[in-house]
């Protein structure tokens, strides 16, 4: 059974940097892309970006200037850094697995439980 | 950027009834790249349908998806108590960029 678990601080001060880690069990991060998605009452579900274990990343253009993702295959983890935080970044942050079936159709099939971050 | 609009905002039905949820894209999209999720309070979204009409593993047959172009539909035939949740449509483009709709609350 694939499981994802987010970890990181629940409270961060404005202008500081948020660092979150997603630990994956039951699957290797060397397969598939892995995403961060956040959810807030004002912005709904918002895709932040994705990473492949080799370091290939793709970010939401609206957040690109503030986002960095990395992956550590030895720990089967991937991470998110979001800089220059404001109150608008307050949200539940989820990590999720990106799947693409044999026809190239994408979906997020496994999600972490989410972690609430207050700025 | 493609914008997804969902209607209605809230849908009030009873168990056993049929639910029809709509998702409209701001421009034509590939049917391969439209998915549906539902979310219950305190939980992460759960994948229901991908590629417009393919059910995800473990999803009951009462869930079906259809559509093309800019208009897509999720139908739930014979609502069960556990189906009452918020439903989101989701689009992928090859930038890549993933976009979610604002959701329909099924109550």
């Amino acid at each position: 059974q694939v499981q994802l678990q987010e970890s990181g601080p629940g409270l961060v001060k404005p202008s500081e940097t948020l660092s979150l880690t997603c630990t994956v069990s039951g699957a290797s991060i060397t397969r598939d892309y892995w995403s961060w998605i956040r959810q807030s009452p004002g912005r709904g579900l918002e895709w932040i970006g994705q990473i492949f274990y080799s370091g290939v990343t793709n970010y939401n253009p609206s957040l690109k200037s503030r986002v960095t993702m990395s992956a550590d295959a030895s720990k089967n983890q991937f991470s998110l850094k979001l800089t220059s935080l404001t109150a608008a970044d307050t949200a539940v942050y989820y990590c999720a697995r990106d799947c693409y079936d044999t026809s190239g159709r994408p979906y997020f099939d496994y999600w972490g439980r989410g972690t609430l971050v207050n700025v | 950027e493609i914008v997804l609009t969902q209607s209605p905002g809230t849908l009030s039905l009873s168990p056993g009834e049929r639910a029809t949820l709509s998702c409209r894209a701001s421009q034509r999209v590939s049917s391969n790249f439209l998915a549906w999720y539902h979310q219950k309070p305190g939980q992460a979204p759960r994948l229901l349908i991908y590629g417009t009409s393919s059910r995800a593993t473990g999803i009951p047959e009462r869930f079906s998806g259809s559509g093309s172009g800019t208009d897509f539909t999720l139908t739930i035939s014979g609502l069960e108590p556990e189906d009452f949740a918020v439903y989101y449509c989701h689009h992928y483009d090859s930038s890549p960029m993933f976009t979610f709709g604002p959701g329909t609350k099924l109550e």
Side-chain angles (χ1 to χ4, degrees), chain A residues 35 37 39 45-47 50 58-61 94 98 100-101 103-109 111-114, chain B residues 31-33 35 37 39 42-47 50-51 53-54 88 90 92 95-101:
Chain A
S35 276
I37 298 159
Q39 185 175 31
L45 286 162
E46 182 178 31
W47 177 72
Q50 65 177 181
N58 295 293
Y59 301 140
N60 186 323
Y94 295 100
D98 303 8
Y100 298 81
D101 75 352
S103 299
R105 296 177 297 181
Y107 48 85
F108 299 115
D109 60 348
W111 297 63
R113 297 182 69 175
Chain B
S31 60
N32 278 340
F33 299 153
Y37 300 77
Q39 184 179 32
Q43 297 184 16
R46 181 185 180 187
L47 175 69
Y50 65 95
S53 58
S54 294
Y88 297 97
H90 165 241
Y92 162 86
S95 303
M97 177 66 184
F98 297 87
T99 308
F100 292 90

